[in-house]
Amino acid sequence: MTTLSVTTRGQVTFRKDILKHLGIQPGGKIRLDLLPDGRAELKADQPKGSWRALHGMLKGKGDGPRFTIEEINDAIAEAGAAAGVAGLDDK
């Protein structure tokens, strides 16, 4: 169990190991759910997007050239070869 101190301004500082355990990065947000009997549940806030927001973000981006899956795979293979990567072993 970890004990945290509260400042006179009502602030609490979490140590890096606690933030890492919670999966919270700098600039991230923490979600605090208040439960009965004075308890609370603390976790990393996971932003929730929507398909509509994704559609809006991609709107008008489809006017460029179209590639087949084979062309995409060939481009990936060429880039890997150029970088000196022979391939991945199946393990």
Side-chain angles (χ1 to χ4, degrees), residues 5-6 9 12 15 21 26 28 32 43 46 53 63 68 75 77 80 83:
S5 297
V6 179
R9 294 179 60 194
V12 177
R15 294 191 326 255
H21 176 78
L32 182 67
K43 55 187 165 185
Q46 302 295 327
D63 298 335
T68 65

Side-chain angles (χ1 to χ4, degrees), residues 15-90:
R15 294 191 326 255
K16 286 184 182 181
D17 61 324
I18 294 172
L19 295 174
K20 183 178 179 181
H21 176 78
L22 293 171
I24 299 170
Q25 301 294 322
K29 297 190 181 233
I30 296 174
R31 180 176 172 169
L32 182 67
D33 293 323
L34 301 179
L35 303 173
D37 301 326
R39 296 178 297 125
E41 181 178 69
L42 180 79
K43 55 187 165 185
D45 188 33
Q46 302 295 327
K48 293 176 177 59
S50 69
W51 287 107
R52 184 168 304 284
L54 178 62
H55 175 268
M57 188 172 67
L58 297 175
K59 189 175 182 178
K61 304 289 186 200
D63 298 335
R66 312 260 176 188
F67 298 101
T68 65
I69 191 66
E70 291 80 16
E71 291 171 320
I72 294 170
N73 286 336
D74 289 344
I76 292 169
E78 288 174 20
V85 177
L88 299 175
D89 294 335
D90 291 332

